[in-house]
Amino acid sequence: MQSKIFYGYRVAFGSFIVMLTHLGFLGCIGVFMPHIAKTLNSPLSDVSLVVTTATGGAFVCSLFASKLITALTPKRTLYLSSVVCALHYVVFGFAPHVSWFWIGGVMAGFVMGFGTNVAVASIISAWFIEKRSTVIGLVFGGAGFGSAIAMFVAGQLIENFGWRTSYFILAAVILVLGIVPNLFLIRLPEQKKMKPLGWEKQEELEKTSSESTGLTLAEAKQTPTFKLWWVAILLISMLFTGFSSFAPSFFQASGMTHLQSTNITSITNLVGAVFIMLSGMIAERFGIRIYISYILISFMIGTSLMATFPNTSFLLTALTIAFIALSAPASNSFPPTITTVGFGTKDYTKIVAQFASANYLSKAVMPIIMGQIDRITGSLRTGFIFQVFLAFIGLSLLLIGLKMAPKIITIETSDQKKKADEDVIENA
């Protein structure tokens, strides 16, 4: 007999805490880099290679993520990732040379590739057939909140204990926050003797519909949509990475103080986390076409404002923050949100893993591209204009791919059904 309270919501909350921990604390390296460079007497450019080794490692790991998760189960994969996440901070804390940070970066890549997007999406997909996009958005929003919290906490710890001790403290925090929700909250439906939300509707669709309810990974790879979306995600994932990595430097070069530029970036990340949580609901209510369009058009407007009018008025600064924050779902939650619409649920985790590889490859190369643009042109402004162009190309590829997507029968939410009924009445 099933409990009156659907256990999947507890699982979603536990997954939110894991995302907050794994991705949030991996996102505060920027606070440490100046202190590390000074202590180890190394150029900041050498220390920043930790980001490239981390995202490069994540790209490689994501290619094999679905196989590892299937072999270990998602829970065990998350346990292992929490331990590695804590251990990589211990390596940082003991580092006598900058090369140790590159090694730790590879360990961070393991966490990102195996213990974040793909594993969590696998858990959520096991519990939610209906409302999956909404829950994915809410859970993945934990990464943005975690980053904002981690940056603040890390700054306070460094101020009071120094950067090495701060890493040891954060390692302990990661171990607790990563393992406790996994231990007490995260379960699979068969462990609780429950079925996922929307299973009745899914069974009815499979019995009554002659159309496909999902493609295998091999079938998906043969479609133009898969190829177009993989390239689009490769381009789009560069956007928020480029903003987070280089916007503070650009703002400072435009006349802002260090504190002002840091505050703007932190506020943007925090507001962006809220919009990530809301994005799934928007996708459920208005459809993937609206979801894709508002995110990328917002980025183009916000980045154009930033590149054209840096630090000229409070209003323009606020508009820049608002529009770029609206585009925050492009950083992580894009692949698991669009996958079901394009390819159904049959090989959901495997297809998400393939798209995640594009996401991480993009994040690995974007800092290099922006750095080279800055070196050649002498200004990051050109780099941000380049990002607007990438967003336009990505939007076009996504919409073309959506139009060419195979016909997949999916469960309508009550909002979607209501909207469809309204459209029928209006057309009549």
Side-chain angles (χ1 to χ4, degrees):
M1 182 176 178
Q2 291 190 3
S3 170
K4 291 182 180 180
I5 301 175
F6 179 58
Y7 194 83
Y9 295 120
R10 297 183 188 179
V11 174
F13 177 71
S15 301
F16 174 89
I17 299 299
V18 170
M19 288 292 284
L20 181 151
T21 305
H22 287 180
L23 276 183
F25 282 90
L26 288 176
C28 66
I29 183 66
V31 180
F32 286 88
M33 285 198 298
H35 303 277
I36 295 166
K38 183 178 180 180
T39 301
L40 300 182
N41 196 26
S42 297
L44 190 62
S45 58
D46 286 354
V47 180
S48 66
L49 285 176
V50 65
V51 178
T52 300
T53 58
T55 49
F59 164 68
V60 174
C61 291
S62 63
L63 295 174
F64 307 98
S66 61
K67 293 182 179 179
L68 181 71
I69 290 167
T70 300
L72 290 183
T73 75
K75 271 182 69 71
R76 289 173 184 166
T77 303
L78 291 180
Y79 277 132
L80 179 59
S81 298
S82 294
V83 172
V84 174
C85 191
L87 186 59
H88 102 283
Y89 268 9
V90 174
V91 171
F92 284 178
F94 281 119
H97 187 267
V98 70
S99 60
W100 281 47
F101 284 90
W102 305 339
I103 296 170
V106 174
M107 296 170 69
F110 177 96
V111 178
M112 287 190 283
F114 292 131
T116 55
N117 298 10
V118 181
V120 170
S122 175
I123 291 168
I124 297 303
S125 68
W127 279 101
F128 294 91
I129 297 173
E130 190 175 0
K131 297 184 179 179
R132 181 177 295 173
S133 295
T134 295
V135 177
I136 285 286
L138 292 171
V139 170
F140 276 52
F145 280 109
S147 180
I149 293 168
M151 288 184 73
F152 174 77
V153 171
Q156 296 298 313
L157 289 174
I158 293 170
E159 187 72 22
N160 289 281
F161 301 104
W163 67 269
R164 290 190 186 275
T165 303
S166 297
Y167 270 134
F168 297 139
I169 295 171
L170 290 176
V173 173
I174 288 169
L175 207 56
V176 172
L177 290 181
I179 288 179
V180 169
N182 196 4
L183 184 64
F184 293 105
L185 294 175
I186 296 177
R187 300 285 188 278
L188 293 178
E190 53 266 27
Q191 292 175 296
K192 299 299 294 184
K193 297 181 180 179
M194 288 185 173
K195 291 188 176 181
L197 187 68
W199 68 271
E200 309 99 322
K201 296 179 182 179
Q202 181 73 9
E203 280 192 356
E204 185 179 347
L205 281 174
E206 290 175 351
K207 288 178 181 178
T208 60
S209 176
S210 59
E211 295 179 328
S212 173
T213 56
L215 303 182
T216 65
L217 174 60
E219 291 169 339
K221 281 185 172 181
Q222 299 304 312
T223 66
T225 298
F226 182 91
K227 299 177 180 66
L228 289 169
W229 281 7
W230 198 94
V231 175
I233 290 168
L234 179 69
L235 299 178
I236 290 167
S237 298
M238 294 183 182
L239 306 181
F240 220 76
T241 302
F243 172 79
S244 299
S245 301
F246 293 94
S249 299
F250 178 69
F251 286 136
Q252 290 176 47
S254 302
M256 288 188 183
T257 66
H258 172 76
L259 183 61
Q260 286 175 322
S261 65
T262 303
N263 286 344
I264 286 178
T265 307
S266 297
I267 291 170
T268 305
N269 287 338
L270 189 60
V271 178
V274 175
F275 285 129
I276 291 174
M277 296 182 74
L278 295 175
S279 66
M281 301 178 195
I282 294 172
E284 295 273 9
R285 176 65 179 89
F286 299 103
I288 292 297
R289 184 175 283 102
I290 297 296
Y291 168 83
I292 289 169
S293 300
Y294 92 81
I295 289 173
L296 293 177
I297 291 172
S298 296
F299 183 87
M300 287 187 274
I301 294 173
T303 305
S304 298
L305 286 173
M306 183 178 73
T308 310
F309 307 107
N311 198 29
T312 56
S313 73
F314 173 80
L315 177 61
L316 288 173
T317 300
L319 287 173
T320 298
I321 291 172
F323 279 113
I324 292 180
L326 271 169
S327 69
S331 63
N332 279 307
S333 63
F334 229 64
T337 302
I338 67 176
T339 294
T340 302
V341 174
F343 307 104
T345 59
K346 186 176 290 184
D347 265 357
Y348 177 80
T349 301
K350 293 179 180 179
I351 297 172
V352 168
Q354 292 294 311
F355 286 150
S357 69
N359 181 294
Y360 289 123
L361 177 61
S362 175
K363 293 183 179 197
V365 301
M366 190 57 184
I368 299 172
I369 293 173
M370 287 290 285
Q372 288 301 309
I373 290 175
D374 182 42
R375 184 180 66 81
I376 293 169
T377 65
S379 172
L380 287 170
R381 188 188 307 273
T382 306
F384 286 113
I385 294 172
F386 173 66
Q387 287 190 52
V388 174
F389 176 73
L390 289 183
F392 176 77
I393 297 298
L395 173 62
S396 301
L397 292 177
L398 285 169
L399 292 178
I400 293 170
L402 182 62
K403 191 171 184 63
M404 300 174 69
K407 183 66 175 177
I408 301 293
I409 299 298
T410 57
I411 294 174
E412 287 185 325
T413 64
S414 57
D415 282 341
Q416 288 172 326
K417 190 174 187 309
K418 180 181 177 182
K419 186 174 186 298
D421 291 343
E422 289 172 353
D423 290 341
V424 170
I425 293 171
E426 184 178 338
N427 292 333

